[in-house]
Amino acid sequence: MISQRDIERWFESSHFRRKCDWVCVDQPKVIQAWIDRHMIGQVIIAADIEQPAWLIKFPSLEVPHSWLSKVTQKPSHPGIMVIIERPTFKVSDLLSQKRVLILDGIQDPGNLGTIIRSMAAFGVNTLCLTDQCVDVFHPKAVNASAGALAHISIYHEAHWSDWLTKSQAPVMVLDPLAAFSINEVKQKSSFTLVCGSEGRGVQNDLVKSVRLMPVSITMAEGVESLNAAMAVSIALHQLTRI
């Protein structure tokens, strides 16, 4: 059973989180999504709340409600946290994907979670992350995804690097200075969309080594750019329109 101290370390240290083969989830919508996928391994529950019926299926650890609020930095914590096994995905499955998003250098976990939520909304369920991205299971990213994280296949750079160099799908990169608008894209059945950080754009050498098609989002004059989450959401909506 995962101890209280290990849970504290999970919230304290991104290095510790990346080493763990488990993840903490405490948002009700997100918890339900993982219950539906049968991936709950342990439940942490506050001593002062009524236990839900589904809890009896899992090993549980009872803790003070104040401890949950302190460790998660949520004064009004709902009183339940679950431990799930960190999901893994087969690289072979990546080969058959038609619509893929690559993110490079996204450091804000809230933005990353919002992007994942938009991916699920527009039916794009494959996400590739460069090593310069924030941990996808950062608590703020998990919460911002509002449960959508449970429906997205995630691949890290070491897993998708070979795939990218061999992929036949067009690789489009969001660039506010591009002359070609994403509204003009005709072939939408398969694509790889790349988004870099708002400040630096795409910096990853591997991504820059393949043939990229810069595309922009049409905006009113005087507006230079959108933040990454907004830009990806608009782009995915445009690319998945029939």
Side-chain angles (χ1 to χ4, degrees):
M1 183 174 288
I2 306 299
S3 69
Q4 285 182 243
R5 179 53 192 147
D6 278 343
I7 294 171
E8 290 170 352
R9 293 174 68 194
W10 192 90
F11 279 92
E12 292 166 358
S13 168
S14 60
H15 178 68
F16 183 80
R17 279 197 301 273
R18 288 180 184 271
K19 292 195 305 180
C20 289
D21 60 2
W22 50 272
V23 175
C24 292
V25 173
D26 67 351
Q27 188 186 54
K29 286 185 179 180
V30 185
I31 289 174
Q32 186 58 54
W34 291 108
I35 290 174
D36 294 342
R37 287 195 58 184
H38 308 288
M39 293 187 67
I40 305 296
Q42 179 182 329
V43 179
I44 295 87
I45 186 164
D48 59 345
I49 71 167
E50 183 179 353
Q51 296 190 0
W54 58 261
L55 184 142
I56 61 172
K57 301 177 182 178
F58 309 103
S60 61
L61 175 66
E62 192 172 280
V63 298
H65 207 143
S66 58
W67 178 83
L68 280 171
S69 296
K70 180 179 179 181
V71 74
T72 62
Q73 298 183 13
K74 294 180 179 178
S76 56
H77 195 278
I80 296 181
M81 178 189 296
V82 298
I83 305 294
I84 67 167
E85 179 183 353
R86 182 181 282 267
T88 58
F89 304 94
K90 296 179 180 179
V91 178
S92 58
D93 291 342
L94 183 57
L95 302 177
S96 63
Q97 299 306 307
K98 300 297 185 183
R99 295 173 172 179
V100 178
L101 174 67
I102 296 178
L103 298 179
D104 177 37
I106 304 300
Q107 287 296 305
D108 185 282
N111 274 347
L112 181 55
T114 300
I115 288 170
I116 289 169
R117 190 172 181 178
S118 293
M119 289 179 66
F122 300 121
V124 178
N125 59 11
T126 303
L127 174 62
C128 295
L129 300 171
T130 67
D131 293 340
Q132 288 70 44
C133 285
V134 67
D135 179 16
V136 70
F137 285 103
H138 187 290
K140 290 182 179 179
V142 174
N143 288 344
S145 77
L149 187 58
H151 308 291
I152 302 297
S153 299
I154 300 162
Y155 300 89
H156 296 280
E157 191 169 333
H159 301 136
W160 57 260
S161 56
D162 188 56
W163 160 82
L164 180 63
T165 60
K166 297 178 180 178
S167 174
Q168 298 300 308
V171 183
M172 292 173 279
V173 58
L174 288 171
D175 180 351
L177 301 179
F180 188 70
S181 170
I182 200 165
N183 296 340
E184 300 174 81
V185 175
K186 302 300 182 185
Q187 196 284 109
K188 301 179 181 181
S189 61
S190 64
F191 61 80
T192 297
L193 178 68
V194 180
C195 180
S197 66
E198 184 179 351
R200 303 182 66 194
V202 174
Q203 297 293 310
N204 183 270
D205 289 336
L206 173 62
V207 174
K208 292 194 294 184
S209 72
V210 302
R211 184 177 180 181
L212 299 173
M213 181 173 69
V215 293
S216 61
I217 294 172
T218 304
M219 296 182 289
E221 291 185 11
V223 181
E224 293 184 0
S225 65
L226 299 166
N227 85 347
M230 182 64 72
V232 169
S233 298
I234 293 171
L236 291 180
H237 175 261
Q238 182 62 36
L239 290 172
T240 55
R241 290 175 62 190
I242 299 174

